[in-house]
Structure formats: C-alpha cells, structure tokens
Amino acid sequence: MILPLHQLVRERIARTVREVYALADADLPPIVVQSPPERALGDLAVPLAFELARRLRKAPRAIAQEVAAALGAIPGVARVVAAPNGYLNFYLDRPAFLRARLAGELPRGPAPAEKAVVEHTAINPNKAAHIGHLRNAALGDTLGRLLRFRGQPVEIQNYIDDTGVQVADVVVGFRELEHKDFEAVRRVADSTRFDYYCWDLYSTVTEWYESDKERLKIRTATLHDIERGGNENARIGAFIADRIVRCHLATMGRLGIDYDLLTWEGDILRLKFWDHAFDALKAKGAVFRQEQGRLAGCWVMTIEDESAEAEGPDAGEPDAEDAAESREKVIVRSDGTVTYVGKDIANQFWKFGLLGWDFHYRVFDRRDGGHPVWATTSDASAAETGGAPTFGRAGVVYNVIDTRQSYLQKLLKQALGAMGYQREAERSIHYAYEMVALSHATARALGYDAAAEAGRPFVEVSGRKGLGVKADDLLDRLIDAAHGEVVKRNPDLPAEETRRIAETIATAAARYFLIKFSRGKVIAFDIDEALSFEGETGPYLQYAVVRANNIFRKLREREGVEVAAFVAALGETPADSLESADGDELWDLVLEASRLDEMAEQALRTLELSVLAKYAFGLAQKFNGFYHKYPILNEDRPDVRRWRAAAVAYVRDQLTRTLDLMGCRVPSRM
C-alpha cells in the first residue's frame, strides 16, 4: 500500500517547511503527492514549491532545493531530488519497500470512527429480482467493502417496502384473478418457484388494470387493508413479502452479497415513526397544511430546488396558483395517508439516530457461517431476547438508488436541513446510477423478441410489463456458458469442481461488468462480453491471478519452495535486478500494485467505483505483459528469479484483494 508513505512524506515536508520558513500551519498550502509520468523523475513528486513561490517571493527551484536539503532521512525513501522545474522528486528504497509490503509491515493512519450506513438493493417484495437490481446490489456491496477496507465501521441495510402498491397488486392478483385465500397462496408458495410465479401474476394484474381503470379502486382498497393490518389482505401481503424477500436474499447470496439489517416499511408505520417525525417537522415549520387550491387539505413541503419534479400540473401553462403549487410536495394527503416521501423522511431521520424512536429486532435469516441477517419488527414479543446490535445512529448515510429517485433524495436532505441538522444533511449521500438494458445478442439469447427495438443500441426491459430479465436466469445462463469453457479447458476435472469454478467465473463476470462502467452511464449487459477471458472483464482479472498462482505451484513442485521462503531470503539477496534501470519494469509492477489503497480512496472520494475496476484491469495488463517478457521459472540467476517471484507474489496478493473488493473470488484454475 502506498498511502502510509504519502502521509509520511506530507508530514516530513510540512515540518521542514515550518522550520525553514517559520510558517504557521495555517499558512501551509495543501501538500499534494503525485505520481510522475516517467520513472526517471522519481516515484513520487510534490509540487509544493509552486504554491509557496508567491508567498515566499522565491523561485520554485530555489524553494525545492532548500526543502530537499533540509528534509533529512525519511524511512522508505532512498533520496530526494529538487528538479530544475521546482518539483520535489522522491526515489523510494525499492528492496525495503517490497519486503515491507510482503511482510505486512504497513502502519495505517486512523480510520474514520463514525459508522457508515449503506442502504442498497431495496427490491419491491412482489416478484423475482431482475438485472437492474443486480447493478444496484453490486454497486452497494462494493461501496460497503471499500468503506470497510479503509477501516470504517459499516452497516448494510436493505429497505423492504412491504406496504407498497406493488405488494398490493400481487394480493389483488391472488384474490381477484385467482380467487385464492391465505392457505391457497401458501400452497402456491410451497409448490412453485414463488418469486417467478408472482412475476407473471404481477404482469397479468397490470394488464387487468389497463383494461378497466375502475379496477384501480380495488388496488387502493387493498393497499389500505395492508396499511391497517389485522385482515386477510394484510395477512396475504405479509406472507408474500416474507417469501419473496427470502428469494431475493438467495439470489443476492449467489453473488456474495449480504446484509446486516432488513428495514421493513410496515414497522415504520406500526411504530408511528412517521407521526413522531411529522410532529417535529410541523413544529419547525418545515411542512404546512395547504388550505386552498388543488392541494387543499394536504400537508406539503416547499421545494427549494424549483427545477425539481413537483406536484404541479402535467401539461399546459400553469396559472399563478398552479405555479405556487408546483413548488410544493405533498407529504400527507388530504385523506390523512402519508406518501412514500414521508415514510422515507422518517427512516432517514432514524438512520442518523435523530428520531428518538427505535425498532424491535429479530433474526430473519442466518447466512453461511451463521452470520445473522437481522430484521426490524414492531412486535416486542417477537424481538430477540438476547438483544440485537445497535443499528442506525450513523455518521454518514449512503442511499444507493437509481437516478430516477434523485428528486426524493433531495427532499430527504432538505428535510434534515429544515430541522437544523445541517451536518446530517451534508452526509446524506445519494449514490445514483443509471439503468441496465440488454445487448441485442443477449436479449435474443434469453428468448426475447427485440425486433421492435432494432434501431436502438440496446434493448430496454420492463418488469411491470413482464419484459424483464430475471437475475437468476441471467446468472444461470452465465454459469452454463462459463461451465462449457471450463470443461473444454479442463476435460479431466470432476463435474462438481468444474461447476464450482464456473460459478466463481460467472459471478466475477457479472459483478465486474456491472461495476466497470461509470455509474452515470446506461449499460447494455452482454453475456459474451462479460464472460470473455480477454479484455476488460472479470475472468481476465481472475486469469491473471490464476496464472500467478500457477507459477508458485510449479516452483513448489519443482524446488519445494514456498512463497514465504522467497520473502525470508530477500534480505540477503542482491537487489541489482530491482534497483537498476533494467529493473524499472519490475519496479513499475510493484509500485502499481501498491496503489490499491490510493485507488480505493479515489473511488470513495468520487463515488465512482469504476475507478477501482479500471485500476484492476490496468494492473492485470501490466502483470501479463511482464509475465510474457520476463521468465521466472526458467530464469537461471537465483537472485533475479527470487526478486521477480517476490514481485509477482505481491501483485497476486493485491489483485486478489482488489477482486475481493468487487465481490469476486479467484477460482482454482480456469
């Protein structure tokens, strides 16, 4: 890792500048550590002299020379050179650098103490997960892994909208179209792939509504039944949500995605979270009752961003009254029911520990290794007697939701600010991303007729119309395709092992594809592209690590030497092959591998996780180029072979860590 060294360089430079020029801390500009474009210019470069030149009335070159002369020895740095243009160039102690990283001797700075809550997935519990949900979950899970990698406490939440209109629609389907009571619905769930069954039923109900808009009144009545509870519709709705959520957890588990807490919307209603938040918002004047116009009787919030979506007319030129209404968002309808915005505001307040209310908690499921997935409950008698972890009370909240929810997320920040919680408003972060479509080839492979969209670059799908791609179907297709390739390359492996390898490859193929694009880009998922062993793909990265593992397997078989033995012997091994100009490519490989923590921080700072994917691909390319150019197994010089093997061991470890941050494991072979 490179960031501890960056920090040490900054601290030494700051101390030296203060002493040489008698500057106070407040007078010091930020000390930026850069990577030079050429190895001859050093391993690290600091342009501080340019920032100080005007203040000190000196040429940058003179400042750089004075600072370099006064710096003294820095652990891990072989020498510091003041470049003619004013840069401070740092040349690292290459052998010591590699030995320290292989030995794990890396002091790390203090990690953020505040807990981060990352809420992702949040699939409506009414049907099977689809490909769009996979992008949400892959991004959210990777974000959580990156935060944990920096040492920050992280809590992964999954919001379950069990009282929403989508669940009501499936209840309507069972009751009105199939005439089933609770026990009949249970029998269907016990005898079918329930999330798939509900997928088709939901699509059918949508068509049923469209053929007669009066039927939407049945939806409204069913929704009210679910919200009130204590009736047959509410019982069926709760059962559907429970079973579907278990299906969703199984689907996400295939991708190594897990959760700490499932937050059920029904519990927010039953525990009166909204009532408490509503009282606080009214007391602060953040919401008010509209007494006239189209929104008369509604409690509304004034929208600060006038360009945002609002409650105004859909078309036509608004009059003065309509224009005023268009800057108001309904929080509580005139009939007293709370909108989804209100429930989300209450939940956001709870996440930060600002509500003064809390849930009861129960264990919903136990994952591999016995890891509990907790769930909220409004029933104190159902709560876990042993006590649950402390949930919520976050210092920062990341809501991973697609760009269509940007308006809602702005309202959540606005509500926090209106209550005087400016710090929490600033730390209420919407991690937005764009939709997932299909390439035409993949749409055809999955059995969809995409002729109507032949003129478009991708095939857009719609779960409401039943034109979606179920996540499990996509994963099954990826596994089958990967399995054929694994069997072709390894015909002697047992079927169970080839299947296990194929699952590992397919997972990496899916997750890397969903991460590698900028989050603001609509992506067209393509099975063949994702599974390719060449190019910017998960399997390409896996193959680089497998290739490195094969080197050490052969060394062990041929010479009986483990990686630990190479590392232990480095202190007595001449380092000419690493320190000379001829060793620059080897050193470049080591230095690039050390930048994982730097790239992880950049990904978090910019909330652009594609940075991590691009870094991993570049490192794998660099390793593969080195592998083909510089032999290890066939290198006759023991010292050269030892340093090359040590460098490859470090690169392998760093690539494995990078893959793990993206939720990708390394198979035994490919």
PDB file of all heavy atoms in Angstrom, residues 317-334:
ATOM      1  N   GLU A 317     -49.839  25.661 -19.619  1.00  0.00           N
ATOM      2  CA  GLU A 317     -49.204  26.786 -18.951  1.00  0.00           C
ATOM      3  C   GLU A 317     -49.872  26.989 -17.597  1.00  0.00           C
ATOM      4  O   GLU A 317     -51.071  27.254 -17.513  1.00  0.00           O
ATOM      5  CB  GLU A 317     -49.369  28.046 -19.809  1.00  0.00           C
ATOM      6  CG  GLU A 317     -48.568  29.232 -19.295  1.00  0.00           C
ATOM      7  CD  GLU A 317     -47.079  29.020 -19.429  1.00  0.00           C
ATOM      8  OE1 GLU A 317     -46.672  28.233 -20.308  1.00  0.00           O
ATOM      9  OE2 GLU A 317     -46.324  29.628 -18.669  1.00  0.00           O
ATOM     10  N   PRO A 318     -49.135  26.853 -16.458  1.00  0.00           N
ATOM     11  CA  PRO A 318     -49.776  26.977 -15.162  1.00  0.00           C
ATOM     12  C   PRO A 318     -50.139  28.420 -14.867  1.00  0.00           C
ATOM     13  O   PRO A 318     -49.439  29.342 -15.257  1.00  0.00           O
ATOM     14  CB  PRO A 318     -48.701  26.477 -14.194  1.00  0.00           C
ATOM     15  CG  PRO A 318     -47.411  26.742 -14.891  1.00  0.00           C
ATOM     16  CD  PRO A 318     -47.700  26.578 -16.349  1.00  0.00           C
ATOM     17  N   ASP A 319     -51.263  28.616 -14.152  1.00  0.00           N
ATOM     18  CA  ASP A 319     -51.579  29.946 -13.682  1.00  0.00           C
ATOM     19  C   ASP A 319     -50.801  30.202 -12.398  1.00  0.00           C
ATOM     20  O   ASP A 319     -50.007  29.363 -11.965  1.00  0.00           O
ATOM     21  CB  ASP A 319     -53.091  30.112 -13.476  1.00  0.00           C
ATOM     22  CG  ASP A 319     -53.652  29.093 -12.487  1.00  0.00           C
ATOM     23  OD1 ASP A 319     -52.879  28.576 -11.657  1.00  0.00           O
ATOM     24  OD2 ASP A 319     -54.867  28.826 -12.563  1.00  0.00           O
ATOM     25  N   ALA A 320     -51.007  31.373 -11.771  1.00  0.00           N
ATOM     26  CA  ALA A 320     -50.217  31.736 -10.596  1.00  0.00           C
ATOM     27  C   ALA A 320     -50.402  30.734  -9.472  1.00  0.00           C
ATOM     28  O   ALA A 320     -49.454  30.351  -8.782  1.00  0.00           O
ATOM     29  CB  ALA A 320     -50.606  33.140 -10.134  1.00  0.00           C
ATOM     30  N   GLU A 321     -51.666  30.280  -9.285  1.00  0.00           N
ATOM     31  CA  GLU A 321     -51.923  29.321  -8.205  1.00  0.00           C
ATOM     32  C   GLU A 321     -51.236  27.994  -8.475  1.00  0.00           C
ATOM     33  O   GLU A 321     -50.605  27.402  -7.610  1.00  0.00           O
ATOM     34  CB  GLU A 321     -53.436  29.120  -8.060  1.00  0.00           C
ATOM     35  CG  GLU A 321     -53.810  28.193  -6.899  1.00  0.00           C
ATOM     36  CD  GLU A 321     -55.312  28.075  -6.760  1.00  0.00           C
ATOM     37  OE1 GLU A 321     -55.982  29.103  -6.554  1.00  0.00           O
ATOM     38  OE2 GLU A 321     -55.800  26.941  -6.870  1.00  0.00           O
ATOM     39  N   ASP A 322     -51.342  27.507  -9.713  1.00  0.00           N
ATOM     40  CA  ASP A 322     -50.678  26.255 -10.074  1.00  0.00           C
ATOM     41  C   ASP A 322     -49.171  26.373  -9.943  1.00  0.00           C
ATOM     42  O   ASP A 322     -48.485  25.434  -9.528  1.00  0.00           O
ATOM     43  CB  ASP A 322     -51.031  25.852 -11.509  1.00  0.00           C
ATOM     44  CG  ASP A 322     -52.439  25.280 -11.599  1.00  0.00           C
ATOM     45  OD1 ASP A 322     -52.944  24.821 -10.558  1.00  0.00           O
ATOM     46  OD2 ASP A 322     -53.013  25.313 -12.696  1.00  0.00           O
ATOM     47  N   ALA A 323     -48.609  27.524 -10.314  1.00  0.00           N
ATOM     48  CA  ALA A 323     -47.164  27.712 -10.225  1.00  0.00           C
ATOM     49  C   ALA A 323     -46.710  27.621  -8.781  1.00  0.00           C
ATOM     50  O   ALA A 323     -45.654  27.050  -8.484  1.00  0.00           O
ATOM     51  CB  ALA A 323     -46.781  29.070 -10.818  1.00  0.00           C
ATOM     52  N   ALA A 324     -47.511  28.171  -7.866  1.00  0.00           N
ATOM     53  CA  ALA A 324     -47.153  28.071  -6.448  1.00  0.00           C
ATOM     54  C   ALA A 324     -47.214  26.627  -5.990  1.00  0.00           C
ATOM     55  O   ALA A 324     -46.335  26.137  -5.278  1.00  0.00           O
ATOM     56  CB  ALA A 324     -48.095  28.939  -5.608  1.00  0.00           C
ATOM     57  N   GLU A 325     -48.278  25.903  -6.426  1.00  0.00           N
ATOM     58  CA  GLU A 325     -48.413  24.508  -6.030  1.00  0.00           C
ATOM     59  C   GLU A 325     -47.292  23.650  -6.595  1.00  0.00           C
ATOM     60  O   GLU A 325     -46.881  22.669  -5.992  1.00  0.00           O
ATOM     61  CB  GLU A 325     -49.764  23.968  -6.500  1.00  0.00           C
ATOM     62  CG  GLU A 325     -50.950  24.534  -5.721  1.00  0.00           C
ATOM     63  CD  GLU A 325     -52.268  23.968  -6.200  1.00  0.00           C
ATOM     64  OE1 GLU A 325     -52.241  23.150  -7.146  1.00  0.00           O
ATOM     65  OE2 GLU A 325     -53.312  24.334  -5.653  1.00  0.00           O
ATOM     66  N   SER A 326     -46.768  24.033  -7.761  1.00  0.00           N
ATOM     67  CA  SER A 326     -45.731  23.214  -8.387  1.00  0.00           C
ATOM     68  C   SER A 326     -44.429  23.238  -7.604  1.00  0.00           C
ATOM     69  O   SER A 326     -43.525  22.468  -7.888  1.00  0.00           O
ATOM     70  CB  SER A 326     -45.486  23.691  -9.826  1.00  0.00           C
ATOM     71  OG  SER A 326     -44.809  24.933  -9.821  1.00  0.00           O
ATOM     72  N   ARG A 327     -44.343  24.129  -6.610  1.00  0.00           N
ATOM     73  CA  ARG A 327     -43.151  24.160  -5.774  1.00  0.00           C
ATOM     74  C   ARG A 327     -43.412  23.537  -4.407  1.00  0.00           C
ATOM     75  O   ARG A 327     -42.700  23.780  -3.446  1.00  0.00           O
ATOM     76  CB  ARG A 327     -42.662  25.602  -5.615  1.00  0.00           C
ATOM     77  CG  ARG A 327     -42.185  26.219  -6.926  1.00  0.00           C
ATOM     78  CD  ARG A 327     -41.463  27.531  -6.682  1.00  0.00           C
ATOM     79  NE  ARG A 327     -42.350  28.556  -6.152  1.00  0.00           N
ATOM     80  CZ  ARG A 327     -43.106  29.360  -6.920  1.00  0.00           C
ATOM     81  NH1 ARG A 327     -43.083  29.224  -8.238  1.00  0.00           N
ATOM     82  NH2 ARG A 327     -43.873  30.289  -6.380  1.00  0.00           N
ATOM     83  N   GLU A 328     -44.483  22.728  -4.344  1.00  0.00           N
ATOM     84  CA  GLU A 328     -44.837  22.075  -3.090  1.00  0.00           C
ATOM     85  C   GLU A 328     -44.956  20.575  -3.319  1.00  0.00           C
ATOM     86  O   GLU A 328     -45.520  20.131  -4.319  1.00  0.00           O
ATOM     87  CB  GLU A 328     -46.163  22.633  -2.555  1.00  0.00           C
ATOM     88  CG  GLU A 328     -46.093  24.117  -2.193  1.00  0.00           C
ATOM     89  CD  GLU A 328     -47.467  24.710  -1.928  1.00  0.00           C
ATOM     90  OE1 GLU A 328     -48.468  23.999  -2.135  1.00  0.00           O
ATOM     91  OE2 GLU A 328     -47.534  25.882  -1.521  1.00  0.00           O
ATOM     92  N   LYS A 329     -44.431  19.811  -2.376  1.00  0.00           N
ATOM     93  CA  LYS A 329     -44.519  18.359  -2.448  1.00  0.00           C
ATOM     94  C   LYS A 329     -45.444  17.856  -1.355  1.00  0.00           C
ATOM     95  O   LYS A 329     -45.278  18.191  -0.178  1.00  0.00           O
ATOM     96  CB  LYS A 329     -43.129  17.724  -2.273  1.00  0.00           C
ATOM     97  CG  LYS A 329     -43.154  16.205  -2.216  1.00  0.00           C
ATOM     98  CD  LYS A 329     -43.663  15.601  -3.508  1.00  0.00           C
ATOM     99  CE  LYS A 329     -43.762  14.086  -3.422  1.00  0.00           C
ATOM    100  NZ  LYS A 329     -44.333  13.500  -4.649  1.00  0.00           N
ATOM    101  N   VAL A 330     -46.413  17.057  -1.737  1.00  0.00           N
ATOM    102  CA  VAL A 330     -47.350  16.511  -0.757  1.00  0.00           C
ATOM    103  C   VAL A 330     -46.637  15.466   0.101  1.00  0.00           C
ATOM    104  O   VAL A 330     -46.036  14.517  -0.415  1.00  0.00           O
ATOM    105  CB  VAL A 330     -48.569  15.881  -1.458  1.00  0.00           C
ATOM    106  CG1 VAL A 330     -49.446  15.152  -0.442  1.00  0.00           C
ATOM    107  CG2 VAL A 330     -49.378  16.948  -2.183  1.00  0.00           C
ATOM    108  N   ILE A 331     -46.716  15.660   1.406  1.00  0.00           N
ATOM    109  CA  ILE A 331     -46.142  14.709   2.358  1.00  0.00           C
ATOM    110  C   ILE A 331     -47.239  13.862   2.989  1.00  0.00           C
ATOM    111  O   ILE A 331     -47.082  12.661   3.175  1.00  0.00           O
ATOM    112  CB  ILE A 331     -45.349  15.456   3.459  1.00  0.00           C
ATOM    113  CG1 ILE A 331     -44.310  16.396   2.817  1.00  0.00           C
ATOM    114  CG2 ILE A 331     -44.662  14.470   4.388  1.00  0.00           C
ATOM    115  CD1 ILE A 331     -43.277  15.710   1.958  1.00  0.00           C
ATOM    116  N   VAL A 332     -48.362  14.506   3.329  1.00  0.00           N
ATOM    117  CA  VAL A 332     -49.538  13.793   3.839  1.00  0.00           C
ATOM    118  C   VAL A 332     -50.733  14.207   2.979  1.00  0.00           C
ATOM    119  O   VAL A 332     -51.009  15.393   2.801  1.00  0.00           O
ATOM    120  CB  VAL A 332     -49.810  14.133   5.321  1.00  0.00           C
ATOM    121  CG1 VAL A 332     -51.059  13.400   5.804  1.00  0.00           C
ATOM    122  CG2 VAL A 332     -48.619  13.751   6.181  1.00  0.00           C
ATOM    123  N   ARG A 333     -51.431  13.216   2.426  1.00  0.00           N
ATOM    124  CA  ARG A 333     -52.568  13.500   1.562  1.00  0.00           C
ATOM    125  C   ARG A 333     -53.735  14.057   2.383  1.00  0.00           C
ATOM    126  O   ARG A 333     -53.771  13.942   3.615  1.00  0.00           O
ATOM    127  CB  ARG A 333     -52.999  12.230   0.823  1.00  0.00           C
ATOM    128  CG  ARG A 333     -51.896  11.597  -0.020  1.00  0.00           C
ATOM    129  CD  ARG A 333     -52.414  10.339  -0.712  1.00  0.00           C
ATOM    130  NE  ARG A 333     -51.349   9.644  -1.428  1.00  0.00           N
ATOM    131  CZ  ARG A 333     -50.646   8.636  -0.900  1.00  0.00           C
ATOM    132  NH1 ARG A 333     -50.896   8.225   0.334  1.00  0.00           N
ATOM    133  NH2 ARG A 333     -49.698   8.051  -1.599  1.00  0.00           N
ATOM    134  N   SER A 334     -54.696  14.607   1.687  1.00  0.00           N
ATOM    135  CA  SER A 334     -55.852  15.203   2.361  1.00  0.00           C
ATOM    136  C   SER A 334     -56.673  14.171   3.129  1.00  0.00           C
ATOM    137  O   SER A 334     -57.390  14.519   4.067  1.00  0.00           O
ATOM    138  CB  SER A 334     -56.740  15.926   1.343  1.00  0.00           C
ATOM    139  OG  SER A 334     -57.167  15.033   0.328  1.00  0.00           O
TER     140      SER A 334
END
